[in-house]
Amino acid sequence: MIKSRICEILGIKYPIFQGGMAWIADGKLAAAVSEGGGLGIIAAGNAPASYVREQIRIAKSLTSKPVGVNIMLMSPYADEVARAVVEEGTEVVTTGAGNPSKYVKAWKDADIKIIPVVASVSMAKLMTRLGVTALIAEGGESGGHVGELTTMVLVPQVCDATDLPVIAAGGIADGRGVAAAFMLGAEGVQLGTRFLSAYECTIHPNYKEKILKATDLCTMVTGKRLGHPVRSLRTKFARDYSKAEYSAMPDEELEQLAVGALRLAVVEGDLERGCFLAGQIAAMVKKEQSAAEIVKEIMEDAEPILKGASKWVE
Ligand code: TUI
């Protein structure tokens, strides 16, 4: 069994997190992952605190194991969600798409375990100084909002910059990816895209089908011009948006193009206007499974690979 500090700190069986995917990672999916021995995470995304409270309660009705909440720091509701997690007695908070410094004191006072996503060494050092619990080093292979560096490059540099446990994210789909992440110094992994095919993941069937049929080159990054690069499936929406980015279209109009596109993908399965966020490993997601099966399969597949690594050394 693969164990690390993160299992003890969080009280989980396997050091694997389910990424906090906006519009997708609800209380039901998070509870299923936690029941399977990983850490399920509810995504606040751009939703108000009332939605997050409701999902926390749903998760708590389905599992007594720890469940995390991811706070997307660019959300207009980030402040109220940051207060709600304290009031709801959330055990673990992860953050993304920004700097969570202003919330750290209140969360520490409430004994919440704080695990920010970092996309650079400087942010890793800053978070370490603030006394957070662990770090998620997320490379640009991931779906959604992406940083500049790849997982292969970011993880070892973040591990060198901190004594905290590091969770690797971005580009991990199976046991091989887990083993590789541990070789880079990580003590845990976070996967998003692989959980899109979970039975408990209630995205529109069109979304699931697109993931299951994806091929290696099927994602692209858009949004660089406005400073919010986002990786998604190469759909009509993504190609149109990309074209608009390189046109003379004013920034405000460009911003308007993307409004509501995540909801259209997740809820409506809108193949024309939806933005289907997905990581580069989408092509490695081949079948529907329960969340618990995904967790167990990935972590058990990683074991013989890590054990067998000595075969390379004479
Ligand atoms: O946050 C994510 N992935 C996301 S958020 C999201 S919702 C969204 N919708 C529309 C536009 C943009 C986002 C979809 N996917 N991943 C975690 C992550 N955080 N990746 C990179 C970062 C990050 C980047 C910069 C974390 C900190 C950071 O610090 C910069 C600073 O100094 O504030």
Side-chain angles (χ1 to χ4, degrees):
M1 176 98 98
I2 295 173
K3 287 275 167 203
S4 76
R5 285 186 288 173
I6 208 70
C7 298
E8 304 215 335
I9 293 169
L10 302 181
I12 56 177
K13 184 174 177 193
Y14 300 111
I16 177 170
F17 296 6
Q18 156 255 311
M21 301 169 282
W23 282 101
I24 296 174
D26 57 9
K28 186 177 168 207
L29 177 64
V33 173
S34 290
E35 270 298 292
L39 181 73
I41 296 178
I42 294 163
N46 273 310
S50 55
Y51 166 84
V52 180
R53 288 181 197 276
E54 186 188 330
Q55 295 307 316
I56 292 172
R57 287 172 193 166
I58 289 171
K60 281 191 176 158
S61 74
L62 296 170
T63 183
S64 55
K65 298 198 163 72
V67 170
V69 172
N70 173 262
I71 304 185
M72 208 280 278
L73 296 167
M74 279 165 31
S75 164
Y77 298 104
D79 284 350
E80 65 172 58
V81 175
R83 285 192 296 274
V85 292
V86 174
E87 287 160 16
E88 296 292 328
T90 302
E91 294 105 325
V92 189
V93 167
T94 67
T95 64
N99 179 344
S101 295
K102 67 173 173 172
Y103 305 119
V104 166
K105 184 176 180 309
W107 291 341
K108 275 170 112 175
D109 288 348
D111 266 337
I112 293 177
K113 281 142 189 146
I114 309 167
I115 314 187
V117 169
V118 298
S120 67
V121 168
S122 61
M123 186 59 82
K125 286 183 173 162
L126 174 63
M127 290 300 119
T128 304
R129 278 200 300 279
L130 288 181
V132 303
T133 311
L135 301 173
I136 300 169
E138 184 181 294
E141 298 94 322
S142 65
H145 182 68
V146 289
E148 276 295 324
L149 299 175
T150 62
T151 302
M152 177 80 105
V153 169
L154 180 66
V155 171
Q157 294 189 75
V158 169
C159 290
D160 284 346
T162 186
D163 290 327
L164 297 173
V166 174
I167 316 302
I172 303 170
D174 60 17
R176 293 170 296 181
V178 174
F182 275 67
M183 290 293 180
L184 295 175
E187 296 187 48
V189 291
Q190 173 169 284
L191 285 72
T193 306
R194 177 78 196 256
F195 286 106
L196 293 177
S197 71
Y199 295 130
E200 297 89 345
C201 180
T202 48
I203 53 176
H204 192 280
N206 287 353
Y207 203 145
K208 245 178 219 188
E209 192 183 332
K210 286 193 90 60
I211 296 294
L212 292 169
K213 288 191 172 156
T215 55
D216 54 351
L217 297 176
C218 69
T219 73
M220 64 189 284
V221 174
T222 55
K224 277 198 170 159
R225 190 176 116 190
L226 296 181
H228 309 306
V230 163
R231 181 177 299 284
S232 69
L233 293 179
R234 192 183 292 277
T235 56
K236 175 165 167 28
F237 167 83
R239 277 180 280 133
D240 289 350
Y241 189 92
S242 183
K243 246 182 243 157
E245 262 188 297
Y246 290 99
S247 76
M249 183 185 282
D251 282 1
E252 303 73 49
E253 232 175 280
L254 191 60
E255 203 145 357
Q256 278 307 308
L257 269 187
V259 170
L262 294 186
R263 194 195 72 82
L264 283 174
V266 175
V267 182
E268 314 281 340
D270 189 325
L271 300 171
E272 298 272 307
R273 293 174 302 150
C275 177
F276 295 80
L277 299 183
Q280 286 186 323
I281 59 86
M284 294 167 77
V285 181
K286 297 204 169 67
K287 57 180 188 287
E288 286 193 72
Q289 285 170 293
S290 71
E293 270 168 21
I294 294 173
V295 166
K296 190 163 184 280
E297 180 183 300
I298 291 174
M299 295 313 295
E300 287 186 353
D301 284 355
E303 270 186 45
I305 304 171
L306 277 172
K307 269 198 182 150
S310 61
K311 73 181 176 187
W312 298 109
V313 186
E314 289 225 340

